[in-house]
Amino acid sequence: MPEELFIIALTAIVFGTGFLAFLFWNIFSLIRRKIDKDAAKNQAVDPQFFKALGEWKRSTEKRLTNLEAIVTDEEVEDIKIGSTSATGEIEIEDETVRKKEDTKGGNLRNMLNE
């Protein structure tokens, strides 16, 4: 093989490889730009969404405060009811009351006494 033909073949291989690398690089960069463009487009959020989100947050907070107020009111009523009935003393029933309940049968006091 003459030297001139070898140099031409080697030069063609080097330039062909470089040209193919250049084409692949450009194709992949175009694909990457398209993907980035679509991602940026999806990330752009409508201002109405933020407005609706703010309104939803305010309404949810209002509902929570209403529920908390209801629960605290019920707890205060339970405390008041409990404090009026509990005098701090233990009440002992008469034995006649206990014997009357014993005749009914199957109540909780009988089960506990056993």
Side-chain angles (χ1 to χ4, degrees):
M1 186 188 258
E3 285 184 21
E4 296 167 349
L5 203 59
F6 180 71
I7 292 173
I8 292 172
L10 186 63
T11 308
I13 290 172
V14 169
F15 281 114
T17 306
F19 182 70
L20 284 176
F22 176 75
L23 284 178
F24 283 130
W25 178 264
N26 284 335
I27 290 170
F28 287 126
S29 66
L30 286 173
I31 292 170
R32 191 174 51 229
R33 277 191 227 142
K34 174 70 173 156
I35 291 171
D36 291 342
K37 182 181 174 184
D38 289 343
K41 186 178 181 181
N42 290 338
Q43 288 179 354
V45 180
D46 192 18
Q48 291 177 350
F49 172 74
F50 288 119
K51 184 179 179 182
L53 186 63
E55 290 175 6
W56 179 79
K57 182 181 175 185
R58 282 190 294 275
S59 67
T60 304
E61 287 176 353
K62 187 176 180 181
R63 289 182 195 144
L64 283 175
T65 54
N66 288 339
L67 289 174
E68 288 173 354
I70 292 169
V71 169
T72 54
D73 288 343
E74 288 179 2
E75 288 177 357
V76 168
E77 289 176 8
D78 289 343
I79 291 171
K80 288 179 182 176
I81 292 170
S83 64
T84 57
S85 65
T87 58
E89 298 177 3
I90 298 174
E91 297 178 10
I92 300 175
E93 295 177 345
D94 294 333
E95 289 187 26
T96 56
V97 174
R98 288 185 187 175
K99 288 181 181 178
K100 287 180 184 176
E101 290 176 357
D102 289 343
T103 59
K104 294 178 184 174
N107 63 11
L108 183 61
R109 181 170 286 119
N110 288 339
M111 290 182 221
L112 292 175
N113 287 333
E114 292 175 1

